[in-house]
Amino acid sequence: MIVIITGASHSGKTVLAQRMLEKYKYPYVSIDHLKMGLIRSGNTSFTPEDDDELVGYLWPIVREMIKTAIENRQNLIVEGCYIPYDWRKDFDDEFLSEIRFICLAMTDSYIDAHFDDIMNHGSDIECRLDDSCCTANWLKEGNQKVIEGFGQAGERVLLIKEDYESAISELLKEEHLCGRVY
């Protein structure tokens, strides 16, 4: 089983992946780690700010990692924001039946009411070295882009409206992980 967790920046993707690792014992890979490894090693001229270009660069690598894990009957959680909206077109039905997709995004009202909390939890799992670009308006723009892009592609987007914990609690129930495509 492969679980893809994507969504907007600061929406709790890494926290959810960590909790799934702890509950289901599925290892996870952070696409951000792959990105930074390629950037720091000099294997690309992209920078961490080249988000749109990085989707096209990273997705072929991540896609083939997912296929390899499925072919080897391995469980894996793939977490990060570099998933294209039309990701399903790259997999045959036999692969799609082994993939669960989760997309997280926050509503504008959630961001307004919880901006300080969002910032305080930004380093819960990984240490964010520089969060100076993160403003409420920047988060709103990014979340709207995710909601519209994945929504237009026909994907379900789990909206964080009032409370992160209650929004993801259903995802952590085993029957949802094992039985539903998100």
Side-chain angles (χ1 to χ4, degrees):
M1 175 72 59
I2 305 299
V3 180
I4 297 173
I5 303 172
T6 194
S9 181
H10 290 74
S11 61
K13 300 178 298 294
T14 308
V15 169
L16 178 58
Q18 180 67 35
R19 289 187 186 169
M20 287 183 162
L21 173 143
E22 292 166 3
K23 180 170 182 163
Y24 303 112
K25 309 299 186 232
Y26 288 13
Y28 76 86
V29 63
S30 167
I31 302 173
D32 278 341
H33 292 173
L34 175 62
K35 169 189 77 174
M36 291 309 299
L38 290 165
I39 290 171
R40 287 180 170 175
S41 67
N43 282 299
T44 180
S45 60
F46 291 121
T47 71
E49 289 77 36
D50 295 326
D51 282 342
D52 291 335
E53 295 87 353
L54 282 164
V55 173
Y57 180 71
L58 293 170
W59 177 243
I61 299 166
V62 172
R63 176 191 68 216
E64 297 309 314
M65 289 170 60
I66 290 169
K67 288 179 181 177
T68 301
I70 291 170
E71 290 165 347
N72 287 305
R73 297 186 180 144
Q74 295 172 304
N75 297 318
L76 181 64
I77 299 165
V78 177
E79 170 277 309
C81 58
Y82 301 103
I83 306 293
Y85 302 132
D86 62 349
W87 67 273
R88 289 182 188 271
K89 73 172 177 42
D90 293 327
F91 296 99
D92 295 334
D93 288 342
E94 70 182 65
F95 287 112
L96 287 171
S97 67
E98 296 296 322
I99 300 172
R100 300 298 174 256
F101 178 79
I102 300 168
C103 181
L104 302 175
M106 300 173 283
T107 63
D108 286 355
S109 59
Y110 180 84
I111 293 167
D112 286 337
H114 299 280
F115 181 74
D116 289 340
D117 292 333
I118 294 165
M119 296 306 295
N120 289 335
H121 288 287
S123 292
D124 281 358
I125 303 298
E126 59 190 3
C127 182
R128 294 181 185 269
L129 299 178
D130 182 12
D131 241 358
S132 60
C133 70
C134 187
T135 65
N137 285 335
W138 182 80
L139 285 177
K140 288 177 186 179
E141 289 172 14
N143 278 271
Q144 283 304 314
K145 186 176 177 182
V146 164
I147 292 165
E148 291 169 13
F150 281 109
Q152 289 174 0
E155 298 293 348
R156 177 179 173 237
V157 177
L158 177 66
L159 292 177
I160 301 166
K161 299 176 184 177
E162 295 175 18
D163 175 57
Y164 177 80
E165 292 300 326
S166 61
I168 66 162
S169 65
E170 289 297 312
L171 294 176
L172 295 173
K173 291 183 179 176
E174 188 167 349
E175 63 270 19
H176 286 233
L177 177 63
C178 296
R180 289 180 58 187
V181 177
Y182 289 94

